[in-house]
Amino acid sequence: MTLAKDSNADVIVVEDDPFISRMYQVKLSKAGYHILMGANGKEGVKLINDNHPKLVLMDINMPEMSGIEAIQELKRQGYDFSKTAVVFLTNSNNPNDIEQVGALGGEYIVKADQTPRGVLELIQRKLGQVSS
Amino acid sequence: MLKLLTYAPTIAVMLVISVLLFVNAGKDNAKRSFAMTSIAITLWISSLGLADTTTNADSALYFVRQAIFIANLIPIFFLAFSLFFGKDFLTHNMIPRLVLISVLPVTLALLSFSDQMVSVVKVEEFGATIQQSGYLYSIHSATSLLFFCAAFGVMLYKRKRTDGVTRNQIQFILAGAGTAYIANLFSGTILSQSSSQGPAILFGTVSIVVFAAVVSFAIIRGRLFDVRLATVRVVTFLLSVGFLAALYGFIAFSVAEQFFFKTIFVTQFSQQLFNTVLAVILAFTFPWIRRFFERATDRVFYRDRYDPQVVISDIGRVLASDIQLESLSKKVVRILEEKMRVGGTNIVVLGYEKEQGDEKEGSGKPQIFFQTYREKKQHAYKIEDISTLRLPVTVADELAASNERDMLERHNIRVALSLRTKEEFTGYLFLGDKRSGDIYSDQDIQTLRIIANELAVAIQNARSYQEIQLFNETLREKIRQATKDLTHANKELKALDKAKDEFISMASHQLRTPLTAVRGYTSMVMDGDFGKVTGEQKDTLKQSFDAATRMTRLVDDLLNVSRIQSGKFRLERAEVDLNKILPEELGLIETTATAKNVKVTYHAPKDPVPLLMIDEGKTRQCLMNLMDNAIYYSSTTPSGGKVDVYLEADKDNVSFRVVDNGIGVPKDQQAKLFKKFYRAPNAQKTRPDGTGLGLFLVGKVVRDQAGKIIFESTEGKGSTFGFSLPIKAAGEGLNPEKDAEAQVATKA
């Protein structure tokens, strides 16, 4: 997995579970999106700062730095989220997380309830909004 | 004058003693005989007095004979007294014998007026003396001697066999009577033959004074015959009267000297007026004078005088107002020492070592539980010593020489009272010497008995109170310990509960992640992301996908129940389109329905129902749970399972209903159906692997979203399950905190 700079990156997936991250990578790549992958919050912060993607799929429970902490960190650094949509993906269903996500202004998706196609449709809808 | 001074007080004192003894004698033979002795002595000394003061020889002879008459009777009474007094060693069949031996002196008495007794009496300067006496006089003297010797013998015998107060009293009487008799014998018998008899008779009279004094002392100090108070009062009265008489006489005499005898104009009237005024003055001064003498005599005779009523009422007040054992005991001791003027007072409270299982009050081995002034070494009582004191009152002076008496002596205890209630032996009240040095009177003992009775009850109460206090303290300690244990247990339980929640949360998270991958990849294969799939493959994959979805829901159910338990269950409201999600959920159950041979028909609304602000995930679970149940419980219907799903809307509500032709819910089970883990018996039979969580969660979710459960069922016919959710009110105002946060989030 590379953390290469890629100004064409459309979507950055930050997910610690390799099975799931690969699943989204495959689905989104097949749909024609340019994907970059991060395995934890720290990597996510660097990737987002470097590439300014149109959308981030951010897992919450990850080692080293959680997805919520990563977005908080970026906000603290002054990252402009007006051109980057954030969709939190989680399986924890933790009410605290949901509140924090709400406060950060992101979308919240329970992975287990979704299929990759559902996620793809959500991304298409979101990116349509961003690009328009 | 000398004669008058000798006789008058002696006669007066003897008269007082005699009268008082006689009045107080009652049925006591000892008192009666002593009273008779005193009266006889009084009469005898009076006769002698008259004989000595008269100037006429004939009169003198008469009075002397009268005196001899009485003198013959005195030994009888005295012997009787000696026999009756003290302990009854010799009283058996006494009176007939006494009568028998009294024949001689009585005969002599009757012969007193014969010439064979006394024939000539000479009147001299000092008084009458017997000039000529006959043989009867000698018999009289010998008889008297014999009787007195017998009486003294009896008294000495008794003295040896008695202790304490009685012994003291016998000693007083022996001393008094002995002195008097020997002196009298000396003057009357021996000196009567000599030339100068006058002073000898006087000597004999003085001997009676000694007797009177000794007897008086015995009465006052030795508690003889219990007439002390009366004696003292009479003496006071006589002193007062005598003083006033002297004063009256002196004033009357000197005033008369000054005024009346020197003036010629004295009238009968003025003399009378003067006497009247003087009498009035005396009448008014008498009480004052008497009080003065009372106080004076009290100081002499009653240094320890106190009012028993005051002492008893003071102690009663303390006992009524104090319940603390130590303080009430100390207060009582103080009152006794100050008001009753006794020393060495100590209250000893007994405790009982209770044997295991021995619950009876006052049983067990007695111990000294508490005593006032324990710091004093001489009061270090030993329980073995004092527990021998079993009588209500033990007066040390009245005890025969014994270990008990030695023990009381050792501890300076004069009086020991047992403190006893009806139920319990509570302890002892010990008293030392009276401050006055007197011995304890009957009145003291009576007062102490009353106090001891009250004290015993008060001590018992105080001890009960103390026991209750102790019990309370023990109870409080136990409660404290139990509370501590419970708090600890509660803390542990809370920690355990938290750990459980965390575990479930973690476990469900861990379960969900692989399920996500299974569902995700399966769906991607179905979507053709990894190459073209045939229809058959797609159907197979769909079964796999649906099973994974169902498992996801089960995990969600568990997680939600855990959340409800820990109060962390929350709804995440968002706009939800039931028109869209219901067919999706129907799609998920399709495979199951087909496999179970149940025909599911969706009756879609004519117009789409409005969007609702509800929790999508949890509402999906509700839809799924109800439809899933309907499929399972109608799959055994012989004519084939049939499930109809309705989505409808009216002005206010959107309702969702699932109607099946399944097993139905027995009437008596319906009320319990929405309870957690509850499963109706017929449902258990049909579907043994159900969790009993589905309907519970539906109920919770619907209620929390201000909806209503729709439920009706007939056993064996089928059921209708569903819910209706309000269109406008759904969510609004139900969770204001959450709404406020959402607004903030929107602004951010």
Side-chain angles (χ1 to χ4, degrees):
Chain A
M1 199 169 297
T2 55
L3 297 177
K5 222 172 181 169
D6 185 344
S7 52
N8 295 322
D10 301 305
V11 177
I12 289 174
V13 178
V14 187
E15 164 68 60
D16 63 324
D17 187 289
F19 292 102
I20 290 172
S21 62
R22 188 173 163 265
M23 185 173 81
Y24 292 131
Q25 190 193 19
V26 170
K27 189 74 187 178
L28 298 180
S29 301
K30 286 199 181 247
Y33 289 105
H34 203 84
I35 313 287
L36 287 175
M37 312 287 290
N40 61 48
K42 268 189 180 164
E43 288 183 8
V45 169
K46 186 170 170 17
L47 282 170
I48 293 162
N49 261 332
D50 289 351
N51 301 298
H52 295 271
K54 290 177 183 140
L55 189 136
V56 179
L57 275 185
M58 180 70 84
D59 188 17
I60 292 177
N61 290 319
M62 288 182 291
E64 290 199 59
M65 186 187 270
S66 80
I68 288 170
E69 284 167 348
I71 300 302
Q72 281 170 340
E73 174 63 25
L74 285 163
K75 284 205 165 179
R76 196 159 41 246
Q77 289 174 11
Y79 184 87
D80 177 16
F81 278 99
S82 64
K83 293 223 165 78
T84 303
V86 181
V87 174
F88 287 97
L89 281 169
T90 183
N91 265 334
S92 77
N93 233 355
N94 186 333
N96 289 341
D97 291 349
I98 297 166
E99 273 175 33
Q100 281 182 302
V101 167
L104 287 170
E107 185 117 358
Y108 184 90
I109 290 172
V110 176
K111 285 184 274 186
D113 293 342
Q114 281 291 354
T115 57
R117 187 173 62 194
V119 173
L120 175 64
E121 283 167 7
L122 179 80
I123 289 170
Q124 285 170 337
R125 205 166 62 236
K126 285 266 169 191
L127 288 182
Q129 282 171 9
V130 171
S131 57
S132 64
Chain B
M1 200 65 191
L2 182 65
K3 285 178 207 161
L4 193 72
L5 278 177
T6 317
Y7 284 111
T10 315
I11 292 168
V13 170
M14 281 310 295
L15 197 67
V16 168
I17 292 169
S18 308
V19 169
L20 288 173
L21 287 175
F22 196 76
V23 170
N24 282 289
K27 284 185 175 173
D28 187 331
N29 282 329
K31 287 182 186 174
R32 275 179 182 171
S33 47
F34 194 79
M36 291 304 286
T37 312
S38 298
I39 289 167
I41 290 172
T42 312
L43 291 174
W44 176 69
I45 197 81
S46 306
S47 303
L48 283 184
L50 289 170
D52 278 349
T53 41
T54 186
T55 46
N56 185 317
D58 285 344
S59 304
L61 179 64
Y62 172 79
F63 286 127
V64 166
R65 283 174 167 172
Q66 188 181 303
I68 290 169
F69 173 81
I70 297 159
N72 272 305
L73 301 178
I74 295 172
I76 303 174
F77 297 133
F78 190 67
L79 179 64
F81 165 72
S82 72
L83 289 167
F84 287 123
F85 184 71
K87 291 189 181 155
D88 299 346
F89 294 116
L90 307 159
T91 46
H92 179 67
N93 238 354
M94 186 88 75
I95 296 167
R97 286 184 217 179
L98 256 174
V99 172
L100 196 70
I101 58 170
S102 299
V103 172
L104 182 61
V106 169
T107 312
L108 286 170
L110 293 174
L111 294 170
S112 298
F113 291 89
S114 110
D115 282 344
Q116 296 309 313
M117 189 68 82
V118 175
S119 51
V120 179
V121 166
K122 190 181 169 193
V123 176
E124 286 183 284
E125 195 191 336
F126 293 109
T129 54
I130 298 165
Q131 280 306 158
Q132 249 179 43
S133 57
Y135 66 93
L136 284 177
Y137 189 76
S138 308
I139 298 171
H140 150 69
S141 302
T143 312
S144 298
L145 183 65
L146 207 67
F147 268 73
F148 274 107
C149 285
F152 287 140
V154 170
M155 299 277 265
L156 284 167
Y157 172 82
K158 285 192 173 177
R159 183 185 159 274
K160 261 191 179 172
R161 277 160 184 75
T162 49
D163 275 299
V165 179
T166 313
R167 193 187 167 98
N168 280 339
Q169 290 169 346
I170 289 175
Q171 279 167 341
F172 277 126
I173 293 164
L174 271 176
T179 314
Y181 186 69
I182 289 164
N184 196 51
L185 204 67
F186 191 67
S187 64
T189 314
I190 299 167
L191 292 184
S192 62
Q193 307 307 319
S194 73
S195 53
S196 57
Q197 287 136 332
I201 283 178
L202 206 61
F203 187 53
T205 315
V206 170
S207 71
I208 301 302
V209 175
V210 172
F211 175 73
V214 171
V215 171
S216 304
F217 187 77
I219 288 170
I220 290 161
R221 276 293 159 98
R223 276 205 293 146
L224 184 67
F225 303 131
D226 292 333
V227 289
R228 179 161 83 144
L229 184 67
T231 312
V232 171
R233 282 287 162 265
V234 171
V235 168
T236 309
F237 186 77
L238 288 177
L239 277 171
S240 313
V241 171
F243 177 79
L244 279 177
L247 195 72
Y248 183 92
F250 176 75
I251 294 171
F253 183 77
S254 45
V255 167
E257 275 290 282
Q258 287 291 313
F259 298 100
F260 305 127
F261 287 104
K262 284 185 182 170
T263 43
I264 315 147
F265 311 105
V266 179
T267 60
Q268 197 77 21
F269 175 74
S270 64
Q271 173 108 35
Q272 272 176 2
L273 185 72
F274 171 76
N275 284 343
T276 311
V277 169
L278 200 61
V280 168
I281 291 168
L282 288 173
F284 278 106
T285 50
F286 182 70
W288 182 82
I289 298 283
R290 201 177 67 169
R291 252 200 315 279
F292 170 77
F293 279 105
E294 255 177 34
R295 272 201 294 272
T297 48
D298 281 352
R299 264 200 295 279
V300 176
F301 299 115
Y302 280 100
R303 276 175 294 159
D304 57 336
R305 191 167 167 258
Y306 64 94
D307 186 342
Q309 288 309 319
V310 171
V311 175
I312 290 167
S313 76
D314 280 4
I315 286 175
R317 230 183 341 266
V318 166
L319 297 183
S321 63
D322 203 332
I323 194 77
Q324 298 293 339
L325 188 59
E326 278 194 36
S327 75
L328 83 82
S329 303
K330 285 192 171 162
K331 282 179 194 166
V332 168
V333 165
R334 198 161 59 239
I335 291 171
L336 286 173
E337 300 220 324
E338 284 172 6
K339 297 262 167 76
M340 214 167 152
R341 307 185 55 73
V342 292
T345 310
N346 202 350
I347 293 170
V348 177
V349 176
L350 295 180
Y352 294 93
E353 205 177 333
K354 276 188 185 143
E355 299 286 325
Q356 203 68 36
D358 191 357
E359 291 301 316
K360 204 171 141 254
E361 268 304 308
S363 58
K365 195 167 169 259
Q367 285 178 317
I368 294 176
F369 172 74
F370 160 80
Q371 57 178 305
T372 48
Y373 305 114
R374 76 185 77 191
E375 68 273 15
K376 285 186 189 169
K377 211 177 174 186
Q378 65 265 37
H379 292 309
Y381 308 113
K382 281 191 194 144
I383 186 67
E384 309 86 69
D385 285 350
I386 59 170
S387 58
T388 60
L389 299 168
R390 282 272 154 195
L391 292 172
V393 184
T394 310
V395 180
D397 293 335
E398 289 175 359
L399 284 178
S402 61
N403 289 341
E404 211 168 78
R405 186 174 169 156
D406 287 347
M407 187 274 292
L408 293 176
E409 290 281 334
R410 203 163 54 243
H411 291 300
N412 286 325
I413 299 169
R414 292 283 154 265
V415 180
L417 291 108
S418 300
L419 304 177
R420 214 188 264 275
T421 65
K422 271 179 195 149
E423 300 88 30
E424 211 179 0
F425 200 137
T426 52
Y428 296 98
L429 169 60
F430 293 140
L431 297 121
D433 285 309
K434 290 175 83 170
R435 298 263 167 77
S436 58
D438 281 358
I439 58 167
Y440 283 83
S441 69
D442 281 356
Q443 189 202 43
D444 295 334
I445 301 296
Q446 285 313 315
T447 308
L448 289 170
R449 267 176 192 271
I450 294 167
I451 291 166
N453 285 339
E454 289 184 6
L455 189 58
V457 173
I459 285 173
Q460 196 183 26
N461 291 343
R463 291 220 55 193
S464 303
Y465 177 75
Q466 224 171 30
E467 270 166 29
I468 290 168
Q469 293 278 87
L470 199 70
F471 179 69
N472 273 349
E473 197 44 56
T474 316
L475 209 60
R476 209 171 296 145
E477 186 48 46
K478 278 188 177 161
I479 290 169
R480 213 177 355 245
Q481 189 56 45
T483 312
K484 212 175 127 191
D485 291 350
L486 278 176
T487 312
H488 185 68
N490 191 31
K491 224 165 146 185
E492 280 193 342
L493 278 175
K494 274 184 180 163
L496 273 176
D497 193 50
K498 204 180 158 208
K500 184 199 74 180
D501 284 345
E502 279 168 3
F503 172 76
I504 289 177
S505 189
M506 187 269 289
S508 61
H509 178 79
Q510 296 297 332
L511 287 168
R512 275 168 150 187
T513 305
L515 279 170
T516 309
V518 170
R519 280 182 82 237
Y521 283 114
T522 310
S523 73
M524 280 167 71
V525 174
M526 275 158 59
D527 288 348
D529 289 337
F530 303 105
K532 204 170 162 38
V533 285
T534 65
E536 206 180 346
Q537 285 170 329
K538 206 171 180 178
D539 286 349
T540 314
L541 286 169
K542 188 165 189 316
Q543 287 182 28
S544 168
F545 176 81
D546 289 352
T549 307
R550 292 174 57 79
M551 190 161 175
T552 309
R553 294 292 156 83
L554 280 173
V555 170
D556 286 352
D557 279 357
L558 275 176
L559 190 62
N560 282 326
V561 169
S562 150
R563 294 249 163 81
I564 291 168
Q565 297 271 90
S566 58
K568 285 180 194 153
F569 181 82
R570 288 199 199 157
L571 295 170
E572 301 307 327
R573 291 162 192 274
E575 279 194 343
V576 174
D577 186 1
L578 283 175
N579 304 296
K580 183 171 160 275
I581 67 164
L582 180 53
E584 282 175 16
E585 293 302 315
L586 275 161
L588 287 174
I589 58 156
E590 208 174 274
T591 318
T592 318
T594 311
K596 301 245 170 220
N597 203 20
V598 175
K599 191 173 184 295
V600 180
T601 314
Y602 173 47
H603 304 267
K606 281 179 194 130
D607 301 312
V609 298
L611 300 181
L612 297 173
M613 282 295 289
I614 51 175
D615 185 307
E616 184 183 327
K618 293 188 179 79
T619 307
R620 272 179 188 270
Q621 262 175 285
C622 293
L623 300 173
M624 166 64 88
N625 282 340
L626 294 179
M627 293 191 295
D628 199 48
N629 281 348
I631 290 164
Y632 267 90
Y633 296 121
S634 59
S635 63
T636 52
T637 307
S639 60
K642 205 166 146 302
V643 173
D644 291 284
V645 178
Y646 297 89
L647 183 65
E648 291 156 340
D650 61 14
K651 195 154 58 66
D652 305 311
N653 298 293
V654 173
S655 59
F656 163 77
R657 284 184 300 134
V658 184
V659 183
D660 68 60
N661 63 345
I663 56 171
V665 183
K667 201 94 193 151
D668 58 332
Q669 308 292 328
Q670 295 187 356
K672 304 179 211 163
L673 209 58
F674 288 84
K675 293 220 159 81
K676 185 170 54 172
F677 297 123
Y678 182 79
R679 302 199 64 218
N682 61 343
Q684 279 184 43
K685 218 173 138 193
T686 312
R687 191 183 181 186
D689 61 343
T691 57
L693 293 173
L695 287 179
F696 168 69
L697 278 167
V698 171
K700 172 81 179 162
V701 171
V702 169
R703 268 197 313 278
D704 283 9
Q705 299 188 128
K708 281 191 184 118
I709 291 289
I710 297 167
F711 168 56
E712 54 185 31
S713 184
T714 312
E715 191 180 2
K717 291 263 172 79
S719 312
T720 300
F721 282 94
F723 55 81
S724 67
L725 294 168
I727 296 167
K728 290 262 171 65
E732 281 170 28
L734 280 173
N735 206 338
E737 201 185 339
K738 181 74 203 149
D739 291 347
E741 270 180 37
Q743 279 173 7
V744 172
T746 312
K747 276 176 201 163

